[in-house]
């Protein structure tokens, strides 16, 4: 059974990745991911120029069908991640994720990558929902267009972007028509569903301290939104732009659904956080079993081949 996949010319032995932010902040966590043979690649925690502690605790809460988080971009600082991706022996491809606190910082981080020895994939996170004063850039269509225009004047290495979920077909049309103007390596869809809320009935309180309890929703609850975003973007984006499907994957069936919708790679957040890295092995074997029962040998046999209901 062949679970290999590609983003541009980068080959991954297996389609599974951690979602950025999950088990990928410290050297120890990154090394764990590098040594896990059931994930085909890894994504680093989105980096800002300087180290950040992030938001005050509690900032992550498990829910009956997922999670809510307001981490606030805790990370070791860009130099640490650039050093890691350029110096570590790479047993699998790495995607270097960056998320400046402003457009100027995003441009500065990308200039540093352009000027470095790093030749791998980079992902610009335009969708962090949890930092006060930093809007989710990809909801500002015109601002995203202007920014990508500036970026691709100097950035010549493979670059993808992490998108927030969209909820209206007109918005899919709009973002796709903007993204199609640029030589993006990939889009990663979706980030967590921003600014949800959970209420603890006993204490009559919110469950997260930052932002009065508002936080990004992930896990099983996000699956239908994630599938819709993968599908809608695959139907609209140039075929040269690959898709990482992220959101709501807890089983091999969920991964299979992402691929049917058109995902080239599948990344897993909440479930890896809750279950540990063993989730990759379990979900891989579940996906293989489904493929086997259907007589599929590779992801190309069914990728993007979702059927609709005709009369
Ligand atoms: O660190 C976070 O609060 C965070 C980020 Br940068 C992101 O992109 N998505 C998310 O759910 N949390």
């Amino acid at each position: 059974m062949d679970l290999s996949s590609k983003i541009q010319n980068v080959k991954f032995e297996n389609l599974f990745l951690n979602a950025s932010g999950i088990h990928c902040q410290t050297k120890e966590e990154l090394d764990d991911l590098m040594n896990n043979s059931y994930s085909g690649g890894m994504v680093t925690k989105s980096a800002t120029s300087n180290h950040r502690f992030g938001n005050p605790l509690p900032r992550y809460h498990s829910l009956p069908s997922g999670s809510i988080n307001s981490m606030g971009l805790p990370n070791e600082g860009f130099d640490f991640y650039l050093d890691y991706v350029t110096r570590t022996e790479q047993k699998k491809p790495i995607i270097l994720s960056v998320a400046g606190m402003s457009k100027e910082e995003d441009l500065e981080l990308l200039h540093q990558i352009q000027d470095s020895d790093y030749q791998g994939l980079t992902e610009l996170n335009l969708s962090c929902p949890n930092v006060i004063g930093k809007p989710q850039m990809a909801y500002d269509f015109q601002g995203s267009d202007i920014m990508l225009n500036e970026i691709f004047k100097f950035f010549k290495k493979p670059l993808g972007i992490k998108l927030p979920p969209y909820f209206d077909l007109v918005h899919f049309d709009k973002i796709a028509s903007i993204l199609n103007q640029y030589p993006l390596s990939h889009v990663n869809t979706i980030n967590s569903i921003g600014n949800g809320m959970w209420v603890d009935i006993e204490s009559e309180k919110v469950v997260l301290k930052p932002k009065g309890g508002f936080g990004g929703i992930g896990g099983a609850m996000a699956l239908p939104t994630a599938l819709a975003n993968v599908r809608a973007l695959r139907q609209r984006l140039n075929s040269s732009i690959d898709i990482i499907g992220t959101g709501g994957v807890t089983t091999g069936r969920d991964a299979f659904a992402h691929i049917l919708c058109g995902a080239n790679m599948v990344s897993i957040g909440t479930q890896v956080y809750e279950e540990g890295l063993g989730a990759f092995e379990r979900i891989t074997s579940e996906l293989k079993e489904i493929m086997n029962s259907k007589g599929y040998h590779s992801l190309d046999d069914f990728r993007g081949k979702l059927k609709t209901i005709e009369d």
Side-chain angles (χ1 to χ4, degrees):
M1 190 77 72
D2 179 9
L3 293 190
S4 69
S5 194
K6 276 174 142 187
I7 296 179
Q8 302 304 314
N9 58 0
V10 180
K11 180 157 187 206
F12 297 80
E13 289 306 320
N14 163 321
L15 77 163
F16 290 114
L17 306 165
N18 61 296
S20 178
I22 303 300
H23 209 95
C24 60
Q25 183 178 337
T26 63
K27 176 171 171 15
E28 291 69 31
E29 291 175 334
L30 291 165
D31 287 347
D32 283 349
L33 281 172
M34 187 61 86
N35 292 320
N36 180 284
S37 47
Y38 292 92
S39 63
M42 52 196 273
V43 189
T44 58
K45 171 67 188 176
S46 297
T48 50
S49 299
N50 300 313
H51 166 274
R52 280 174 59 85
F53 173 80
N55 289 340
L57 278 59
R59 59 191 189 183
Y60 176 98
H61 190 85
S62 304
L63 298 176
S65 312
S67 66
I68 182 167
N69 89 84
S70 182
M71 303 301 289
L73 260 173
N75 76 93
E76 310 300 303
F78 175 73
D79 290 348
F80 167 83
Y81 298 100
L82 184 64
D83 189 67
Y84 190 90
V85 298
T86 47
R87 291 191 196 210
T88 309
E89 187 208 342
Q90 295 208 5
K91 299 177 189 162
K92 62 180 75 169
I94 306 183
I95 300 174
L96 175 61
S97 174
V98 292
M101 301 292 286
S102 64
K103 177 177 148 190
E104 290 66 37
E105 190 177 334
D106 283 333
L107 293 172
E108 171 56 28
L109 291 167
L110 291 172
H111 268 293
Q112 289 187 49
I113 295 171
Q114 179 62 34
D115 295 342
S116 75
D117 292 336
Y118 181 63
Q119 303 299 341
L121 296 162
T122 298
E123 190 171 285
L124 177 63
N125 183 351
L126 291 182
S127 49
C128 173
N130 299 330
V131 179
I132 293 169
K134 176 176 153 58
Q136 292 172 81
M137 184 66 181
Y139 283 142
D140 173 355
F141 295 109
Q142 195 191 4
S144 298
D145 193 8
I146 292 169
M147 187 168 172
L148 288 169
N149 193 21
E150 286 184 37
I151 288 170
F152 282 107
K153 282 185 184 150
F154 69 87
F155 199 81
K156 304 297 171 198
K157 293 179 174 177
L159 178 69
I161 57 174
K162 179 80 173 265
L163 294 173
Y166 297 98
F167 302 94
D168 191 303
L169 297 185
V170 171
H171 292 169
F172 290 125
D173 292 341
K174 276 196 176 164
I175 192 70
S177 73
I178 291 165
L179 300 180
N180 280 336
Q181 299 172 69
Y182 300 100
L184 289 164
S185 58
H186 69 278
V187 300
N188 187 335
T189 179
I190 58 174
N191 207 319
S192 56
I193 304 171
N195 295 301
M197 170 70 62
W198 191 253
V199 173
D200 180 72
I201 298 304
E202 278 64 47
S203 61
E204 304 179 8
K205 260 190 182 171
V206 297
V207 296
L208 302 178
K209 178 160 181 180
K211 291 178 67 179
F214 290 89
I217 304 297
M221 286 183 291
L223 182 65
T225 302
L227 294 176
N229 276 260
V230 172
R231 171 73 164 170
L233 289 170
R234 186 65 290 159
Q235 288 174 319
R236 289 165 175 78
L237 290 176
N238 297 337
S239 60
S240 58
I241 303 176
D242 293 321
I243 295 185
I244 301 176
T246 304
V249 173
T250 67
T251 66
R253 295 172 71 84
D254 304 333
F256 188 87
H258 265 271
I259 302 158
L260 270 181
C261 288
N264 298 87
M265 305 284 297
V266 170
S267 84
I268 310 176
T270 298
Q271 191 61 29
V272 168
Y273 185 87
E274 296 291 336
E275 184 179 341
L277 300 191
F280 288 117
E281 180 173 4
R282 175 182 61 76
I283 294 172
T284 297
S285 77
E286 290 171 358
L287 175 61
K288 281 184 177 171
E289 200 173 309
I290 297 166
M291 288 172 61
N292 195 33
S293 71
K294 290 172 177 280
Y296 295 146
H297 303 289
S298 75
L299 305 178
D300 285 339
D301 290 344
F302 61 101
R303 180 184 290 117
K305 295 186 179 167
L306 182 66
K307 297 172 205 153
T308 54
I309 300 166
E310 310 299 338
D311 291 337

